Amino acid sequence: MRKQVFVLWAIMIAGLSVQAMAQPGGNIRGVVTDAASGQTLSYVTVIVLNTNPTVGTTTDEQGAFNLPPLPVGRYNIQASFVGYEPATIREVMVSSAKETVLEITMKESVQALDEIVVRPKTNKEAPLNPMALAGARMLSVEEASRYAGGFDDPARLVGSFAGVAGDVTSNSIAIRGNSPQSLQWKLEGVEIPNPSHYPEIGGVGGGVLTAFSSQVLGNSDFYAGAFPAEYNNALSGVFDMMLRNGNSQQYEHTAQLGTLGVEFASEGPFKKGERASYLFNYRYSSMALAGDIFGGDLKEVSGMRYQDLSFKINLPTRKAGTFSLWGIGTYDGFINYLPDDLSEHDYVPVESTARQKMAAAGLNHKIFLSENSYLKSTLAATYAENHTMTDLYDSNRQNPQPIQDMLDKNTSLIFHSYLNKKFNARHTNRTGITLTGLLYDNNYNIAPNYPYANGEPMRNFADADGNSLLASAYSQSSYQFNERLTAQLGINTQYFALNRRWTFETRASIRWQASPKHAFALAYGAHSRHERLDYYFVTTPETGNRLVNKNLDFAKAHHAVLSYDWNVSDNIHFRIEPYFQYLYDVPVVPGSGISIINQTDFYMTKRLVNEGKGRNFGIDFTFERYLKDSYYYMLTASVFDSKYRGGDGVWRNTRYNRRFLTNALGGKEWLLGRNRQNILGVNLRMNLMGGSYYTPLDEAVSLSEQRPVEDESRMMGSQNPVAFTAHLTVNFKINRQKLAHEFGLKMLNITGSRDFYGFDYNYRTGQIEKSTAAVSIPNIYYKIAF
């Protein structure tokens, strides 16, 4: 064994010590397109800013460009073309091992250039979707990798955005006081199940890490309110994710070994000289790998194990348009082992097993019908399975009693298609439909007062096997009156065949560019979302086999967002965004303070009615310095109030009414080495936010029954302490010709902040204890790209 280790280190040291004859560098290439029509633009001038002499080129007849080789480092790229507003792509990283491929979109001007003052538009100021004028932000994959606390997870990255709250142990996203389950995940234009590993185990809407690797994810959009008409079935926000295309000109590979897992990615052309490409990434959890290799005690404590696979195959054709085949899949296993000797175990002796699967795959097709119109269609299928089982043991770790057996299988068959038409430089319309076939198989069994069953058998409260349909249609137009004033108007309607409910929703926004540095925007949207399918098939002991929730309507909301943007300088941006949200027809338990808004369990056992309400209002602040001169920072703050009204008509704090959120993050890079080809990066994020709310216990009843019993007369009446959390990322990248090594540490919660999980009864002391834990998650890794 020692010999193998010595050989491995010798090979690694030899690889690191090879010195290239020339300075390591890389190249930047890409394509430039019209933002509204999607057509490529020929003869666009593309330059690298702040280079002397200027480094640049022009696009060819297919809109493609290829800049001359550049030394390792970061660059700002600008595209300019007569009749179009200049566009700037910031913080573009050039590496020795991977080619940098960009897609630059440019907006056509509606006035003669001599009538206006043109300021280049930066890619970090606006979302990718040109229909979104407020309440949205572009998510950079490079930021997810670089920002401390991002952990290569886009869900954790947005926790640094204004108005977004998260926890250390979960990547759940609570937007502006809303429940994480109100967020919609989209991939390649279609809704997908929660793509996180171990989804819903720690609470609805979240997981540990998403299955999206930074190796395959493209830049995407994140919406925090009043989103455009093309988005349906979402209340709080939308995560609109895209997979990037693989490199169509050269083969590139990446391998990574770390404390959280092993990972391998590969991309390249199917055939040199052709435009078709492939891209895939596979991950496997390191604890599971170690348990499988060494066995013994290590296998017994391997506990959580996960793996995921994602891919995209891009197939352009000469006349039939572009086809792309994509997919993502996860498999998670979790076993909560009890110790063999329970003499030192103070809490309820339960052992749980969970098996979870998620998959989504689709075929996209995009074809231009004319110079200014294209049709994009997607045929996709998604699948999610969650099987959770729990056994209760006696004090001798004998006689297991099943107290939970929940099986949930959901399949969606989706067809989505839209026509995008640019009528002229002022007016663009997008009209589309989405048909989703819903297939479900749910069988939920749980003992009363789980996990404190006290010998009572499990009861079935949801058992359904069937299918339904969710249909949606929308149309939205963007109209630019002049260079300063743009408006967007749209409608969306959806129909839920399970109980024949439907909605009609309007969306509108307007943006005024008051001056080259100052802009105002106002957006409104009516939104709705159906509940988890198993909620509709709940039965209760009092009602027998009658489905008490079958006729639940959509939960609905009105969003209003006002935005002010100030470009303090070319690399400093300030945004203020006040907002108001009114929720109605929210499912609640009649005569009780229980509301779906505060739901944390992934299942429901009670009768619900659409009589609840909610309101969220606040103001978000963002002050950001883009990466320039090798450092960056971002400061965000949110002040807000989140209330709900339950089935008893009383207004209370929601679980997510933290009152305030603040973030401070920043980082610095140093170019080291003889040719300044190596990069040392240090990034830090600090977060201070108010505590979440919870329902205190009825102590007398809890002690009498030896289990936590909530005092419903004080629903959401207590608040956890203010939480301070810090995260750290340090990495060192060594660039060689066609090869790069990276060593790094990514650490979540270096301050040991404690998350709240609920309450436990301690059988040894006879007391109820608050369950908290300070979980710090390190990922020490080595990555090689070649």
Side-chain angles (χ1 to χ4, degrees):
M1 182 68 179
R2 292 181 180 178
K3 182 177 180 180
Q4 285 94 334
V5 172
F6 175 79
V7 172
L8 178 62
W9 277 104
I11 293 173
M12 185 179 297
I13 293 171
L16 295 178
S17 62
V18 174
Q19 297 294 322
M21 296 300 293
Q23 181 178 4
N27 66 302
I28 300 174
R29 65 178 180 87
V31 65
V32 181
T33 61
D34 182 291
S37 71
Q39 281 283 5
T40 57
L41 298 176
S42 306
Y43 312 115
V44 176
T45 300
V46 181
I47 65 170
V48 182
L49 295 177
N50 304 316
T51 52
N52 188 18
T54 301
V55 176
T57 186
T58 58
T59 60
D60 60 20
E61 293 183 353
Q62 285 75 45
F65 68 90
N66 197 335
L67 289 165
L70 294 165
V72 168
R74 293 188 184 273
Y75 300 90
N76 295 331
I77 310 301
Q78 186 175 101
S80 56
F81 188 47
V82 175
Y84 282 77
E85 299 176 3
T88 301
I89 308 295
R90 293 187 176 275
E91 305 173 7
V92 177
M93 169 62 78
V94 170
S95 171
S96 63
K98 281 185 174 290
E99 194 174 41
T100 302
V101 183
L102 303 176
E103 181 174 338
I104 303 175
T105 59
M106 300 186 69
K107 183 178 179 182
E108 187 176 1
S109 301
V110 298
Q111 294 178 232
L113 292 181
D114 56 0
E115 298 178 12
I116 59 173
V117 176
V118 178
R119 175 187 174 272
K121 297 295 173 58
T122 177
N123 65 310
K124 293 177 67 66
E125 294 173 9
L128 300 175
N129 190 336
M131 295 288 181
L133 302 182
R137 174 174 175 138
M138 188 270 288
L139 175 73
S140 164
V141 182
E142 192 274 334
E143 290 173 341
S145 178
R146 170 163 47 98
Y147 283 3
F151 234 59
D152 293 311
D153 184 349
R156 291 186 179 273
L157 169 64
V158 300
S160 61
F161 294 170
V164 181
D167 294 318
V168 174
T169 53
S170 172
N171 66 353
S172 60
I173 303 170
I175 303 172
R176 294 172 172 174
N178 286 277
S179 167
Q181 69 175 327
S182 298
L183 172 76
Q184 182 188 89
W185 289 90
K186 298 194 78 168
L187 178 62
E188 293 289 326
V190 298
E191 182 175 3
I192 64 171
N194 183 344
S196 298
H197 288 290
Y198 311 106
E200 323 296 353
I201 286 183
V204 291
V208 178
L209 293 169
T210 68
F212 293 117
S213 168
S214 59
Q215 301 295 333
V216 297
L217 198 62
N219 289 342
S220 306
D221 282 341
F222 177 74
Y223 299 87
F227 18 98
E230 63 191 87
Y231 300 103
N232 71 300
N233 201 36
L235 275 185
S236 66
V238 178
F239 226 140
D240 194 358
M241 317 296 289
M242 301 296 293
L243 299 177
R244 66 181 180 87
N245 294 328
N247 195 317
S248 61
Q249 296 188 9
Q250 65 184 42
Y251 297 102
E252 298 174 341
H253 316 284
T254 302
Q256 179 173 312
L257 173 64
T259 54
L260 285 186
V262 295
E263 184 171 356
F264 180 75
S266 180
E267 62 183 290
F270 280 108
K271 183 179 179 181
K272 286 273 189 164
E274 300 292 337
R275 295 186 296 163
S277 65
Y278 74 89
L279 169 69
F280 80 86
N281 186 86
Y282 175 74
R283 292 190 294 190
Y284 192 79
S285 73
S286 57
M287 286 301 295
L289 180 63
D292 290 342
I293 294 175
F294 298 103
D297 293 338
L298 188 58
K299 188 175 183 64
E300 294 299 314
V301 299
S302 57
M304 301 178 74
R305 57 178 62 202
Y306 67 83
Q307 53 186 314
D308 59 61
L309 173 70
S310 49
F311 69 89
K312 187 174 185 180
I313 298 172
N314 193 53
L315 301 169
T317 67
R318 294 183 183 275
K319 296 182 179 180
T322 299
F323 294 86
S324 58
L325 181 66
W326 55 269
I328 184 171
T330 68
Y331 182 81
D332 305 328
F334 172 74
I335 301 177
N336 178 27
Y337 291 106
L338 272 175
D340 293 332
D341 182 7
L342 295 181
S343 60
E344 300 297 324
H345 189 76
D346 298 339
Y347 305 100
V348 58
V350 295
E351 188 167 274
S352 299
T353 301
R355 293 288 181 267
Q356 297 175 300
K357 304 173 185 176
M358 190 282 292
L363 177 66
N364 294 349
H365 177 236
K366 181 178 180 180
I367 186 169
F368 283 92
L369 305 179
S370 68
E371 184 179 351
N372 290 314
S373 65
Y374 67 86
L375 179 69
K376 186 173 183 179
S377 302
T378 300
L379 186 62
T382 70
Y383 177 77
E385 178 182 329
N386 184 355
H387 192 189
T388 305
M389 296 172 289
T390 303
D391 290 333
L392 175 66
Y393 288 79
D394 61 21
S395 58
N396 296 318
R397 208 186 186 285
Q398 301 293 323
N399 303 315
Q401 173 199 351
I403 59 174
Q404 183 190 59
D405 188 350
M406 296 192 179
L407 178 62
D408 184 14
K409 298 180 181 179
N410 290 282
T411 301
S412 295
L413 304 176
I414 307 166
F415 174 72
H416 173 59
S417 183
Y418 69 85
L419 174 67
N420 191 94
K421 171 69 174 178
K422 178 182 177 182
F423 292 95
N424 50 52
R426 298 179 184 273
H427 181 207
T428 300
N429 176 269
R430 182 175 294 180
T431 299
I433 61 169
T434 303
L435 302 175
T436 305
L438 304 169
L439 290 78
Y440 48 85
D441 182 5
N442 306 315
N443 191 351
Y444 282 13
N445 302 276
I446 193 169
N449 302 320
Y450 167 88
Y452 300 89
N454 294 325
E456 294 190 63
M458 296 187 297
R459 297 175 183 171
N460 182 276
F461 62 88
D463 188 1
D465 185 357
N467 61 83
S468 187
L469 173 72
L470 179 67
S472 173
Y474 65 89
S475 183
Q476 56 189 8
S477 282
S478 177
Y479 191 85
Q480 189 168 3
F481 295 93
N482 52 49
E483 291 294 333
R484 293 188 174 186
L485 189 63
T486 304
Q488 179 267 336
L489 180 66
I491 56 172
N492 183 294
T493 183
Q494 58 180 344
Y495 172 74
F496 190 30
L498 183 68
N499 53 20
R500 300 181 180 179
R501 300 287 184 171
W502 67 281
T503 64
F504 182 85
E505 302 162 359
T506 57
R507 318 282 173 86
S509 58
I510 189 168
R511 181 179 177 86
W512 175 46
Q513 190 73 44
S515 70
K517 290 191 174 184
H518 301 274
F520 298 85
L522 177 64
Y524 162 80
H527 306 281
S528 62
R529 181 176 178 85
H530 70 70
E531 301 305 322
R532 292 170 53 99
L533 289 179
D534 57 275
Y535 289 9
Y536 295 94
F537 301 101
V538 168
T539 60
T540 65
E542 297 78 19
T543 58
N545 294 326
R546 184 167 67 87
L547 303 180
V548 295
N549 296 330
K550 182 66 176 293
N551 293 317
L552 274 179
D553 201 352
F554 292 93
K556 305 179 183 72
H558 295 289
H559 286 209
V561 178
L562 176 65
S563 180
Y564 165 67
D565 288 275
W566 176 23
N567 292 294
V568 182
S569 67
D570 285 342
N571 66 300
I572 297 179
H573 181 246
F574 178 60
R575 171 176 290 178
I576 302 177
E577 204 163 70
Y579 62 88
F580 177 80
Q581 182 186 24
Y582 176 72
L583 298 94
Y584 62 103
D585 288 348
V586 177
V588 295
V589 175
S592 166
I594 298 175
S595 171
I596 286 294
I597 288 176
N598 301 311
Q599 181 77 358
T600 56
D601 292 329
F602 66 89
Y603 58 88
M604 172 56 62
T605 62
K606 300 180 181 294
R607 173 175 170 253
L608 300 171
V609 294
N610 292 105
E611 296 178 359
K613 297 184 184 298
R615 61 171 181 257
N616 304 312
F617 63 90
I619 183 168
D620 295 339
F621 303 86
T622 302
F623 187 80
E624 182 174 11
R625 183 193 193 274
Y626 307 139
L627 201 155
K628 184 180 180 182
D629 300 326
S630 299
Y631 76 96
Y632 72 95
Y633 59 80
M634 182 169 70
L635 308 174
T636 68
S638 302
V639 181
F640 64 99
D641 188 58
S642 178
K643 294 288 199 303
Y644 81 100
R645 194 184 77 177
D648 56 2
V650 178
W651 284 92
R652 299 178 175 89
N653 293 300
T654 69
R655 183 181 302 277
Y656 309 99
N657 190 19
R658 296 179 180 271
R659 307 287 186 175
F660 72 92
L661 303 166
T662 60
N663 279 283
L665 63 90
K668 170 71 176 174
E669 293 180 343
W670 291 268
L671 295 177
L672 306 175
R674 181 182 303 175
N675 296 315
R676 295 171 58 83
Q677 78 277 19
N678 304 324
I679 303 175
L680 172 65
V682 178
N683 303 271
L684 178 68
R685 173 187 161 196
M686 295 177 289
N687 169 261
L688 182 69
M689 61 183 178
S692 59
Y693 276 82
Y694 64 93
T695 301
L697 301 183
D698 186 321
E699 293 187 12
V701 176
S702 297
L703 293 175
S704 173
E705 298 189 10
Q706 296 187 346
R707 65 181 181 90
V709 179
E710 292 183 342
D711 184 353
E712 293 194 9
S713 67
R714 296 187 291 161
M715 187 73 66
M716 295 297 142
S718 296
Q719 187 178 18
N720 284 304
V722 171
F724 174 72
T725 310
H727 315 292
L728 176 68
T729 295
V730 180
N731 64 299
F732 182 59
K733 191 169 187 178
I734 303 170
N735 287 285
R736 298 290 184 259
Q737 287 292 339
K738 306 297 182 181
L739 179 70
H741 305 268
E742 183 176 337
F743 299 87
L745 166 67
K746 296 185 178 183
M747 186 79 178
L748 289 180
N749 194 21
I750 60 176
T751 51
S753 177
R754 306 187 73 85
D755 281 349
F756 170 67
Y757 298 103
F759 295 92
D760 292 318
Y761 181 79
N762 188 314
Y763 288 96
R764 183 181 299 275
T765 64
Q767 299 295 318
I768 297 291
E769 298 178 354
K770 197 173 183 179
S771 177
T772 63
V775 179
S776 297
I777 306 177
N779 185 23
I780 303 171
Y781 66 92
Y782 165 71
K783 180 191 298 185
I784 182 171
F786 55 98

